[in-house]
């Protein structure tokens, strides 16, 4: 910063200190929201596990189960439910999941149902057909909305509007690691539903297992969507916390560097003044 006055350096230090305060505050807010999001992930699992075990038991007990949800058909049109964030400043959280979906729908007749403002803006700008913009605010998405989406997608799948349905979300691995992923929701496969330990089925379903299966599948999908939403929320807050922590550290490094340059410039100015006084005398 040769030729820069001490006043300009001081102004930059003040600016970086203000930035540091903002990023530190955002980091603390993200850490608080992360704890709540992690609690939501843990609380959502029991419901999903009960639904999964019920479907597992029905499929396991009815080897000849015939359901349109299990029917594989030629893939002509696919639907992607894409969960992203409403804001930026979260590292690569939004860009990673959007790039994953863009790569997967390449050369496919695909429609997306975006959840989150960033997803809505991205697919509109890339001219990808959007089913609805009702869920443009991911923060306002509730468990009831997840079940409404699941029922809507189930009806569309049964009507033949889509041959495959996927959900794309960010998996919360740890505070320092979040990975984008896509999961196929429909059609279901027997292999997916019968993986794991065998389930002893002593339950009698009325009127029959097939009708109970057809009624439970939309609830099961709603549980998966809500679980994916909770995972994505936790991943977003973890990514934002890491990004703000890194920004705070960078601000501290820049303040230290500017302070060093300020002291050097101040020392040079004092030395120059002393030289001028001595020369004048």
């Amino acid at each position: 910063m040769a030729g820069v006055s001490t006043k300009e350096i001081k102004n930059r230090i003040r600016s970086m200190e203000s930035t540091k305060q903002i990023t530190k505050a955002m980091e603390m807010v993200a850490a608080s929201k992360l704890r709540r999001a992690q609690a939501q992930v843990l609380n959502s699992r029991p419901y999903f596990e009960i639904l999964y075990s019920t479907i597992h038991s029905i499929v396991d007990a009815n080897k000849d189960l015939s359901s349109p949800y299990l029917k594989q058909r030629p893939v002509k049109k696919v639907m992607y439910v894409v969960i992203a964030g409403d804001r930026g400043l979260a590292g690569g959280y939004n860009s990673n999941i959007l790039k994953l979906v863009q790569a997967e729908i390449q050369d496919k007749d695909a429609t997306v149902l975006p959840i989150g403002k960033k997803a809505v803006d991205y697919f509109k700008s890339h001219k990808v057909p959007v089913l609805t913009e009702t869920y443009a605010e991911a923060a306002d998405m509730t468990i009831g909305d997840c079940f409404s989406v699941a029922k809507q997608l189930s009806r569309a799948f049964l009507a033949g509007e889509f041959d495959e349905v996927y959900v794309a979300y960010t998996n919360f691995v740890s505070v320092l690691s979040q990975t984008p992923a896509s999961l196929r929701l429909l059609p279901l496969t027997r292999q997916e539903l019968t993986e794991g330990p065998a389930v002893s089925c002593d339950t009698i379903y009325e009127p029959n297992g097939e009708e109970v299966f057809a009624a439970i599948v939309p609830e099961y999908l709603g549980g998966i969507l809500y679980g994916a939403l909770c995972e994505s929320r936790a991943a977003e807050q973890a990514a934002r916390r890491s990004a703000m922590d890194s920004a705070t550290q960078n601000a501290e490094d820049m303040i230290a560097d500017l302070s060093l340059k300020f002291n050097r410039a101040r020392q040079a100015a004092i030395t120059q003044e002393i030289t001028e006084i001595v020369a004048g005398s």
Side-chain angles (χ1 to χ4, degrees), residues 71-96:
K71 185 178 180 181
Q72 307 289 325
R73 56 196 188 212
V75 179
K76 296 179 182 177
K77 193 164 186 178
V78 297
M79 159 63 68
Y80 271 81
V81 180
V82 184
I83 303 175
D86 299 323
R87 296 181 309 227
L89 299 177
Y93 169 75
N94 290 307
S95 60
N96 289 340

Side-chain angles (χ1 to χ4, degrees), residues 61-122:
N62 298 270
K63 300 299 182 183
D64 57 345
L65 179 67
S66 176
S67 170
Y69 291 116
L70 295 170
K71 185 178 180 181
Q72 307 289 325
R73 56 196 188 212
V75 179
K76 296 179 182 177
K77 193 164 186 178
V78 297
M79 159 63 68
Y80 271 81
V81 180
V82 184
I83 303 175
D86 299 323
R87 296 181 309 227
L89 299 177
Y93 169 75
N94 290 307
S95 60
N96 289 340
I97 188 64
L98 296 175
K99 286 178 182 177
L100 173 69
V101 175
Q102 186 65 44
E104 290 195 6
I105 66 175
Q106 196 75 24
D107 302 324
K108 288 183 181 179
D109 185 4
T111 302
V112 298
L113 193 161
I115 298 175
K117 189 175 185 299
K118 292 294 182 180
V120 173
D121 294 343
Y122 179 86

Side-chain angles (χ1 to χ4, degrees), residues 7 38 40 44 47 53 99 108 128 135 138 164 178 185 189 191 206 210-211 244 248 251 274:
K7 184 177 180 181
Q38 286 178 296
Q40 281 186 329
S44 68
Y47 177 77
S53 64
K99 286 178 182 177
K108 288 183 181 179
V128 178
Y135 309 104
E164 284 184 339
Q178 305 86 38
L185 299 179
T189 63
Q191 182 179 2
E206 291 291 344
E210 288 189 11
E211 293 194 26
M244 292 301 100
T248 301
I274 292 174

Side-chain angles (χ1 to χ4, degrees), residues 191-255:
Q191 182 179 2
E192 292 172 347
L193 296 174
T194 55
E195 287 177 348
V199 178
S200 58
C201 183
D202 297 326
T203 307
I204 298 175
Y205 296 99
E206 291 291 344
N208 55 62
E210 288 189 11
E211 293 194 26
V212 174
F213 182 83
I216 286 180
V217 166
E219 303 292 324
Y220 168 73
L221 299 180
I224 292 181
L225 286 176
Y226 183 66
L229 180 65
C230 291
E231 290 276 352
S232 294
R233 283 174 174 169
E236 179 183 8
Q237 298 306 328
R240 181 168 289 115
R241 180 180 177 275
S242 296
M244 292 301 100
D245 179 61
S246 177
T248 301
Q249 186 61 48
N250 290 339
E252 289 177 351
D253 293 342
M254 190 169 289
I255 289 171

Side-chain angles (χ1 to χ4, degrees), residues 168-186:
Y169 68 104
T170 304
N171 188 32
F172 175 73
V173 180
S174 69
V175 175
L176 299 177
S177 176
Q178 305 86 38
T179 57
S182 66
L183 175 67
R184 191 175 75 170
L185 299 179
L186 293 173

